[in-house]
């Protein structure tokens, strides 16, 4: 699975992430020049979590984002399709609750979470709208959604440089640090093909039942935090 225009069937996505699990966290830190840490903190802040609340981290991977959410005092549980990623996470974060789960068929009852979040994984789901509706199903009315995802830099000149980095330099760097560098060719293409900030906001609003959809840019628009409230 190396092309962004493939159907992104769940088993293909799981196999791809199984292949990068061993050094996934390190690779992300290197490729983002260490900004991944600040993006995780910003996601936690955007959720406005309070002690005692329950938050679901979809596409949690190794649980590094779930661990960050737990620092709020909320009960944070992570779910991911890739067993390899979950196994890698459990080896280093045994105290973080991590479960196998498909974003399209989450193994939770209706309305059990105060908040749901997904970081850098929504673009890997075969049906974005169905995933957003599934997130709404497990979120209580008045609960929050935060999507942290790669987006489009707002400055045209910077956007050109960034796209060149994605398509030329990122795969080269990945070959030096990743356990499966070919997967990063797909990841780069999926970022380039992903809708911009307004485009994703429109998708969230159209999926429903989400209201008050908005976003703010991080790192000049390399990443955007989209926030919505469950109707």
């Amino acid at each position: 699975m190396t092309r962004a225009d493939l159907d992104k069937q769940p088993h293909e996505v799981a196999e791809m992430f199984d292949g990068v699990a061993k050094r996934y966290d390190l690779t992300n830190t290197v490729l983002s020049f260490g900004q991944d840490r600040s993006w995780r903190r910003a996601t936690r802040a955007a959720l406005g979590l309070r002690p005692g609340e329950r938050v679901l981290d979809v596409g949690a991977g190794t649980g590094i984002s779930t661990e960050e959410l737990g620092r709020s005092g909320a009960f944070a549980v992570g779910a991911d399709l890739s067993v390899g990623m979950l196994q890698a996470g459990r080896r280093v974060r045994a105290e973080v609750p991590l479960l196998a789960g498909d974003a399209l068929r989450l193994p939770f009852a209706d309305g059990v979470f105060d908040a749901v979040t997904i970081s850098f994984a929504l673009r890997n789901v075969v049906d974005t709208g169905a995933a957003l509706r599934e997130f709404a199903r497990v979120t209580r009315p008045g609960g929050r959604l935060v999507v942290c995802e790669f987006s489009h830099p707002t400055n045209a000149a910077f956007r050109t440089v960034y796209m060149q980095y994605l398509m030329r330099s990122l795969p080269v760097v990945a070959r030096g640090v990743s356990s499966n560098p070919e997967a990063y060719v797909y990841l780069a293409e999926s970022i380039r093909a992903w809708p911009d900030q307004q485009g994703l906001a429109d998708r969230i609003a159209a999926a429903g039942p989400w209201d008050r959809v908005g976003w703010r840019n991080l790192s000049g628009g390399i990443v955007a935090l989209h926030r919505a409230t469950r109707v």
Side-chain angles (χ1 to χ4, degrees), residues 14-28:
E15 289 171 0
M16 181 185 71
F17 281 100
D18 286 346
V20 301
K22 183 178 179 181
R23 306 182 73 182
Y24 185 74
D25 293 338
L26 171 63
T27 303
N28 284 347

Side-chain angles (χ1 to χ4, degrees), residues 44-102:
R44 173 167 57 85
L47 284 161
L49 297 168
R50 296 180 291 275
E53 288 193 314
R54 292 175 290 189
V55 57
L56 173 62
D57 185 18
V58 184
T62 66
I64 192 169
S65 54
T66 317
E67 183 179 50
E68 179 64 42
L69 297 175
R71 294 193 172 103
S72 66
F75 174 71
V77 58
D80 200 277
L81 193 64
S82 167
V83 174
M85 292 284 276
L86 295 170
Q87 290 175 339
R90 287 167 182 157
R91 283 194 289 270
V92 294
R93 299 181 185 90
E95 75 286 357
V96 176
L98 295 174
L99 304 174
D102 186 343

Side-chain angles (χ1 to χ4, degrees), residues 24-154:
Y24 185 74
D25 293 338
L26 171 63
T27 303
N28 284 347
T29 298
V30 170
L31 294 178
S32 70
F33 301 100
Q35 293 182 88
D36 58 320
R37 300 183 183 94
S38 65
W39 296 338
R40 288 192 292 273
R41 290 193 297 268
T43 299
R44 173 167 57 85
L47 284 161
L49 297 168
R50 296 180 291 275
E53 288 193 314
R54 292 175 290 189
V55 57
L56 173 62
D57 185 18
V58 184
T62 66
I64 192 169
S65 54
T66 317
E67 183 179 50
E68 179 64 42
L69 297 175
R71 294 193 172 103
S72 66
F75 174 71
V77 58
D80 200 277
L81 193 64
S82 167
V83 174
M85 292 284 276
L86 295 170
Q87 290 175 339
R90 287 167 182 157
R91 283 194 289 270
V92 294
R93 299 181 185 90
E95 75 286 357
V96 176
L98 295 174
L99 304 174
D102 186 343
L104 300 177
R105 294 180 298 277
L106 293 169
F108 304 103
D110 296 355
V112 295
F113 291 100
D114 299 288
V116 174
T117 185
I118 182 168
S119 295
F120 308 112
L122 187 58
R123 71 183 190 283
N124 298 319
V125 179
V126 66
D127 189 335
T128 302
L132 290 166
R133 290 189 292 274
E134 180 70 349
F135 301 165
R137 182 187 66 78
V138 301
T139 305
R140 64 166 177 81
R144 293 93 69 196
L145 168 71
V146 170
V147 177
C148 179
E149 188 54 89
F150 288 111
S151 196
H152 294 225
T154 54

